[in-house]
Structures are given as structure tokens and as C-alpha cells.
Amino acid sequence: DQQVKQNSPSLSVQEGRISILNCDYTNSMFDYFLWYKKYPAEGPTFLISISSIKDKNEDGRFTVFLNKSAKHLSLHIVPSQPGDSAVYFCAAPRGMEYGNKLVFGAGTILRVKS
Amino acid sequence: DVKVTQSSRYLVKRTGEKVFLECVQDMDHENMFWYRQDPGLGLRLIYFSYDVKMKEKGDIPEGYSVSREKKERFSLILESASTNQTSMYLCASTPADRGRAGYTFGSGTRLTVV
């Protein structure tokens, strides 16, 4: 039961352009979402999060948009840089009764070409 | 900086061997987790511990066990390694009161079972 879905396994973008990574979820009880970034041979690192009381959160070049009615969120990276090339995971805590354990999507490999 | 350290970066083991993966965190976090990462499947939770000697099964506990004798150390044990346990294993920790804010991950252990 994959409650968080990232349907695009990979994305290739030219340096300087916008990267848009998408994530869909099925559990309407999710009220907080996180994006993680992972380089090869390293652990995932926290990138940005959003609470369901907001529809947008911005941190420098990274913006996350949340559309609750569509159960969809997206991560925008503007402008994209070669160092952004990594795997990006969308995640959500399952809820207090599950100890807020994170459930992750399958990930999207982003390649930024210079 | 919070550090989560996994003792081995790469391991090669034979089918049927008993394998120990060690994880140590230095920030007095209550919660510790073991995930495995596989292409197309994302990060899947194997086991979770919220206190010394306490453990809970995650989504894919079969073939694994864990040990938490000290707060800073969480060990994953493969009782009898099989080739389908070839994967990247990631340990993570978080304080009890900040589970929703995200985890700190170790760098991972790439395990190959031959």
C-alpha cells in the first residue's frame, strides 16, 4: 500500500531552468509533508517541508506547493544547478498513533545538465 | 551537528550468514529507525525503536531482527542472509518530540549478499 507516490522515476533539466518534481498521496489524514534529497553513497538529507495549513513554502531556490483537494504536492527548484542532481524523496508522517513514522515515495532522480 | 554513524559503508556476505549492521547516534535521540532503499520502491521501514530495549516492526520486518541495548546504538540483524536482502540500508534517528520534523540519516550501508 503505497500511500505516497512519485510517478516520475527520473527528470532531466537544463542548468538555469526550472525543475518540477511531483508527489501524490492517498491518505487524507496526512497533514505534513517533507522533501529529502539524497546523493549516491550518502544518507538522505532534509530539504524542505510544508504543513497542510499552508499551500506554499519557500526556502531560497526551493518552493513546495500543496494542493490538498488534489492530494498533490510539487517541489520547484529555480534556477536548477548541476549540484541539484540527486534523488528526491517525498515523505509524510503516518500520524501520532503510528509514532509519526515517515512513509516515503519511490523517489525521482533529477539530472541537471550544464 | 547531529551525527548518525553506520559502521560499514560496503559489505559483502554469503547466503546464510548472520549479518550485523550497526548504527550509533550522538545526540541522545529517543527514536531510531532502520530503512532499506531499493530502486523504484523508495525507503521502506524495517524496524523502529522508541526507547532502550523497545522495538516495533515496520512494513517489511521478515528476515530481520533488531537490538537496542543502549540508547545511542541500534543494530539490525539479518538472521540468515539471502540474496533478496541485497540493498542499501539506512539508519535514522529523531528526538521523541520532533518526529514530524524529520529524521537525521546515516550515510548508509550497501549490503551485497552473494
Side-chain angles (χ1 to χ4, degrees):
Chain A
D1 175 23
Q2 201 167 8
Q3 300 184 66
V4 177
K5 299 178 184 178
Q6 293 176 259
N7 292 319
S8 298
S10 64
L11 175 67
S12 187
V13 170
Q14 197 67 36
E15 181 180 6
R17 306 296 290 268
I18 185 171
S19 296
I20 300 175
L21 295 94
N22 294 305
C23 179
D24 297 297
Y25 61 97
T26 57
N27 190 338
S28 57
M29 299 301 291
F30 286 160
D31 62 356
Y32 191 80
F33 302 90
L34 307 94
W35 284 93
Y36 279 81
K37 177 179 179 180
K38 184 183 185 299
Y39 293 117
E42 293 184 16
T45 54
F46 170 74
L47 186 59
I48 192 168
S49 62
I50 188 166
S51 165
S52 61
I53 62 173
K54 295 184 174 182
D55 55 17
K56 176 183 173 181
N57 189 27
E58 193 171 352
D59 183 2
R61 295 186 297 114
F62 302 91
T63 303
V64 57
F65 295 92
L66 175 62
N67 182 334
K68 285 179 64 179
S69 61
K71 295 194 182 72
H72 176 83
L73 61 154
S74 60
L75 174 68
H76 292 213
I77 306 173
V78 183
S80 301
Q81 299 174 354
D84 296 329
S85 297
V87 182
Y88 290 80
F89 293 99
C90 172
R94 295 186 209 201
M96 290 284 290
E97 69 277 22
Y98 299 107
N100 285 320
K101 295 186 282 291
L102 291 180
V103 57
F104 288 85
T108 297
I109 300 169
L110 174 66
R111 295 186 186 91
V112 180
K113 299 175 288 186
S114 56
Chain B
D1 266 1
V2 175
K3 276 211 132 177
V4 177
T5 303
Q6 294 182 232
S7 55
S8 303
R9 273 298 186 98
Y10 300 95
L11 277 178
V12 180
K13 296 292 182 181
R14 294 192 180 279
T15 301
E17 274 193 77
K18 190 168 186 176
V19 181
F20 293 85
L21 303 183
E22 306 288 345
C23 175
V24 177
Q25 50 95 2
D26 65 0
M27 285 300 290
D28 204 36
H29 286 175
E30 289 78 14
N31 298 337
M32 296 187 75
F33 308 82
W34 276 105
Y35 284 85
R36 62 179 280 180
Q37 181 200 354
D38 300 289
L41 297 174
L43 278 69
R44 294 179 292 165
L45 181 64
I46 305 171
Y47 264 98
F48 161 58
S49 170
Y50 53 88
D51 203 349
V52 175
K53 297 191 186 294
M54 307 301 285
K55 60 186 179 186
E56 282 187 18
K57 293 180 180 179
D59 298 315
I60 50 165
E62 296 79 18
Y64 303 95
S65 62
V66 290
S67 172
R68 193 161 180 205
E69 297 297 318
K70 294 184 178 181
K71 191 175 185 180
E72 67 271 18
R73 186 179 297 270
F74 191 34
S75 303
L76 180 69
I77 304 154
L78 285 67
E79 298 291 342
S80 176
S82 64
T83 54
N84 63 13
Q85 292 178 310
T86 291
S87 186
M88 169 70 85
Y89 289 87
L90 292 160
C91 176
S93 73
T94 187
D97 61 348
R98 292 194 67 230
R100 290 168 59 81
Y103 302 170
T104 300
F105 282 89
S107 297
T109 297
R110 171 71 66 184
L111 173 67
T112 303
V113 182
V114 298

